Amino acid sequence: MNCQPSQSLLGADDPIPVRIVNPAGTSSFLLIGDHAGNAVPAYLTPFGISDEEMVRHIAWDIGIAELGERLATALDATFISQRYSRLVIDCNRDPAAPDAMPEVSDGTTLPRNAGLEETDRATRIAAIHAPYHAAIAAELARRDAAGRETVVIALHSFTPTMRGVARPWQIGVLHGGANDSFARAVLAGLTARGDLVVGDNEPYAMDRIDYTIPQHAFGAGRRYVETEIRQDLLASHDQIAGWATLLEEVFTTAL
């Protein structure tokens, strides 16, 4: 059993779930980091896995917090990210989906997620998932009211090897219908460089599993893209800075 209090999951010393960088950014781009953080609420500590596991790909998208910050500066864009680990709740999943709070992730058993009651799940949704998506929706509504077009860019990273299989792509571009003209322009721009192994809906595809882009872009017909960068290519500040420069150029040209 993982009984959680009926009040908010987050205590006074826990960070708020949503981080907004450059809220006054003038760019058409809205940068999103669903898995940018790996914090765990104090109430759920210890989470039942090692510190080494908590810095692996299962807990967050390595490198994305810094990449989002750099891009926010370079593009004068707003970056909205989520501070808590995807193991606590995955903000790029429908909150009702079983894998929004997985019991196992890439072979690692998560004791704090075993046998969650509906009240447990509801508490995590209310404390983390709902405020994060409310912040995105509020920013989009503010821009819509001002007559500003917004292109939503979801930034993700992926592990170089999954279940023993190496992944050759350096960056993937995810798209899945709706208004995917911008995503296809980004894909074309990255491919045309000739110096990158680019995945077209690889290593993941924009499908029914994703939540953020379909929720905030599809229905409104917004242009969007979801990018996935291989995590061994985001291992240093210099590498991240290089990707920020590259993506600034590609995104601007695609726009």
Side-chain angles (χ1 to χ4, degrees), residues 223-242:
R223 292 189 288 172
Y224 70 89
V225 70
E226 184 168 325
T227 60
E228 294 270 0
I229 300 173
R230 210 173 66 209
Q231 288 167 355
D232 60 318
L233 305 177
L234 294 169
S236 71
H237 298 303
D238 287 346
Q239 286 177 307
I240 294 171

Side-chain angles (χ1 to χ4, degrees), residues 19-153:
R19 180 173 182 238
I20 303 179
V21 175
N22 194 23
T26 61
S27 170
S28 297
F29 300 125
L30 178 61
L31 308 171
I32 302 295
D34 297 321
H35 305 140
N38 65 343
V40 174
Y43 185 81
L44 295 179
T45 304
F47 200 66
I49 62 177
S50 68
D51 292 343
E52 290 75 17
E53 293 278 23
M54 285 304 304
V55 294
R56 288 182 61 219
H57 73 94
I58 61 173
W60 60 336
D61 278 356
I62 296 166
I64 291 304
E66 182 177 341
L67 177 64
E69 292 170 11
R70 288 181 179 273
L71 277 172
T73 298
L75 295 166
D76 192 25
T78 299
F79 175 44
I80 300 178
S81 65
Q82 208 284 107
R83 285 189 165 105
Y84 286 92
S85 173
R86 65 196 301 174
L87 301 180
V88 176
I89 184 166
D90 191 329
C91 285
N92 193 32
R93 296 291 182 271
D94 185 316
D99 63 347
M101 291 160 251
E103 295 190 6
V104 179
S105 181
D106 193 21
T108 297
T109 299
L110 308 170
R112 272 293 197 175
N113 288 356
L116 290 175
E117 302 286 350
E118 284 306 309
T119 53
D120 301 331
R121 299 178 68 89
T123 299
R124 296 192 194 186
I125 293 166
I128 299 171
H129 195 286
Y132 174 65
H133 285 284
I136 297 171
E139 176 61 17
L140 290 170
R142 183 184 71 82
R143 292 171 178 228
D144 288 348
R148 291 176 59 187
E149 182 193 15
T150 301
V151 179
V152 184
I153 299 177

Side-chain angles (χ1 to χ4, degrees), residues 209-224:
I209 293 175
D210 286 277
Y211 182 82
T212 299
I213 290 293
Q215 178 76 9
H216 297 288
F218 282 14
R222 303 184 199 279
R223 292 189 288 172
Y224 70 89

